[in-house]
Amino acid sequence: MRPQDILMPAPAGLCCKPGGFHIDPVRPVERAVITHGHSDHARPGHGAVLATQETLDMMRLRYGDNFAAATQAIRYGEEIRLGDVTVKFHPAGHVLGSAQIAVSCKDTCIVASGDYKDAPDPTCAPFEVVSCDVFITEATFGLPVFRHGDAADEVNKLLASVALFPERAHLVGAYSLGKAQRVIALLRAAGYDAPVYLHGAMEKITRYYESRGVALGDLRPVKGMKKADLAGTITLAPPTAISDIWTRRFPDPVTAFASGWMRVRARARQRGVELPLVISDHADWDGLTATIGATGAGEVWVTHGQEDALVHWCKTRGLSARPLDLVGYGDEDDSETLPAGEDTEA
């Protein structure tokens, strides 16, 4: 069977006709198979949703109990038959509960990666290479300029700044699902055992991580703290908050932003970031190309990101490759917004 007879782009997203489902659909569908809980992949309103328990829980936290008519949890390594195909979930290393989805029909296996990273992260299951015939890869950082380096070195930059400016508060912009918890874990691994303060928009998901056994140390809400008492502290907040009047409650704040986009200095300047931290939950150029090679796939489909460069790289190495041109997927780094009122009340 041809790969395009198993999975093909459709207006709602990646469609599996022989299985009767869509992967990460961008509009409501009868049956959705979801890779992870970021809002550009996990949307409410579907008839039935199949995902890991953590992803289902994340959708419930964000959208309420009625985010789908029916849900079914699947474990990593578990295989489920849907129509004429089998579906198997494998860790993607992106955020807690994130998965690659292997879709097999007869002798053909296609792996849809969702978003993934191959860098170590103690807050989620590590990325697993899955052998396949066709690999569908993201390309958020699909240009050779994007080489993220060691995230621990970036956290050491943050700690050096805290030591240098004990009279100032440090505000770290980080996305509430995945990035914030990883930054906290990196701080703890670096030996930082002081309280880490959280913007109100961070609390629910971060407490959920703790409930799943992710140890994050002493965490406290920043709401209610006196301005003078926040000198020398670290607070995590959504990126929209660190450029908001909300920051006035902090003493002479140093604004930091944890993102792979901080490799681009113009992006940091544009956001008014004083301390850019190159910490990403996506694979960089080397991670993308190494993963493609490791899967053994003879065909590569590239989606949401810098598609052309990665397609060209694949073709120069004798692989069949094409862009999928799916719409509706952005980097969650740019799409996270605060619920009404949280910018002032948190």
Side-chain angles (χ1 to χ4, degrees):
M1 180 174 278
R2 300 181 308 166
Q4 58 267 38
D5 294 328
I6 302 171
L7 282 172
M8 62 179 295
L14 202 56
C15 176
C16 179
K17 283 191 175 180
F21 62 87
H22 289 74
I23 295 176
D24 293 350
V26 298
R27 61 182 68 169
V29 298
E30 186 175 334
R31 180 182 290 275
V33 179
I34 305 295
T35 60
H36 67 283
H38 280 139
S39 59
D40 58 331
H41 291 256
R43 292 171 165 86
H46 306 303
V49 170
L50 175 69
T52 64
Q53 186 63 58
E54 292 88 348
T55 295
L56 294 175
D57 289 344
M58 215 64 67
M59 295 179 74
R60 193 168 287 108
L61 284 174
R62 287 188 149 172
Y63 303 129
D65 290 340
N66 300 318
F67 69 88
T71 62
Q72 181 178 356
I74 183 172
R75 299 182 302 275
Y76 293 135
E78 183 180 356
E79 198 168 83
I80 289 181
R81 185 84 181 175
L82 296 176
D84 295 330
V85 305
T86 57
V87 169
K88 193 173 183 180
F89 277 44
H90 301 267
H94 179 54
V95 297
L96 187 64
S98 62
Q100 305 170 81
I101 299 168
V103 180
S104 299
C105 187
K106 298 183 179 177
D107 295 329
T108 302
C109 176
I110 304 175
V111 170
S113 70
D115 290 337
Y116 67 96
K117 71 173 180 293
D118 56 346
D121 179 352
T123 68
C124 64
F127 177 81
E128 178 184 309
V129 174
V130 184
S131 297
C132 54
D133 301 295
V134 180
F135 184 55
I136 304 176
T137 181
E138 61 138 314
T140 303
F141 293 107
L143 289 172
V145 68
F146 291 113
R147 289 181 164 90
H148 298 325
D150 189 344
D153 293 338
E154 300 301 297
V155 163
N156 286 335
K157 281 168 46 179
L158 171 61
L159 292 176
S161 182
V162 171
L164 187 62
F165 302 113
E167 75 286 359
R168 303 178 69 183
H170 281 68
L171 306 184
V172 182
Y175 304 101
S176 60
L177 170 52
K179 186 69 63 64
Q181 297 78 27
R182 186 180 178 206
V183 169
I184 296 168
L186 286 163
L187 285 166
R188 301 311 187 198
Y192 186 79
D193 57 6
V196 172
Y197 291 89
L198 300 177
H199 184 286
M202 296 286 184
E203 291 185 50
K204 194 183 296 184
I205 291 176
T206 302
R207 296 303 180 188
Y208 175 75
Y209 264 68
E210 290 185 307
S211 77
R212 302 299 289 189
V214 179
L216 297 173
D218 188 353
L219 303 176
R220 301 181 187 180
V222 74
K223 186 176 181 179
M225 290 291 296
K226 294 180 180 178
K227 186 172 184 175
D229 292 339
L230 291 169
T233 64
I234 296 173
T235 297
L236 270 70
T240 49
I242 66 168
S243 59
D244 190 79
I245 58 172
W246 178 79
T247 62
R248 295 176 187 174
R249 70 181 64 198
F250 296 90
D252 192 14
V254 176
T255 57
F257 185 20
S259 170
W261 296 114
M262 291 298 95
R263 179 64 67 196
V264 182
R265 291 180 181 177
R267 285 249 187 168
R269 288 195 299 269
Q270 184 181 25
R271 288 181 174 267
V273 174
E274 185 175 347
L275 183 62
L277 304 172
V278 184
I279 301 174
S280 178
D281 284 335
H282 296 264
D284 64 4
W285 175 259
D286 292 334
L288 292 167
T289 55
T291 298
I292 290 169
T295 65
E299 188 169 347
V300 180
W301 300 348
V302 185
T303 185
H304 55 287
Q306 305 290 338
E307 297 178 353
D308 292 345
L310 203 54
V311 167
H312 175 74
W313 181 91
C314 290
K315 288 181 175 179
T316 62
R317 279 145 184 86
L319 301 174
S320 175
R322 67 183 180 100
L324 283 188
D325 299 318
L326 294 174
V327 297
Y329 302 97
D331 182 28
E332 68 280 354
D333 293 5
D334 290 326
S335 65
E336 183 170 84
T337 57
L338 296 181
E342 282 194 348
D343 54 342
T344 56
E345 295 175 5

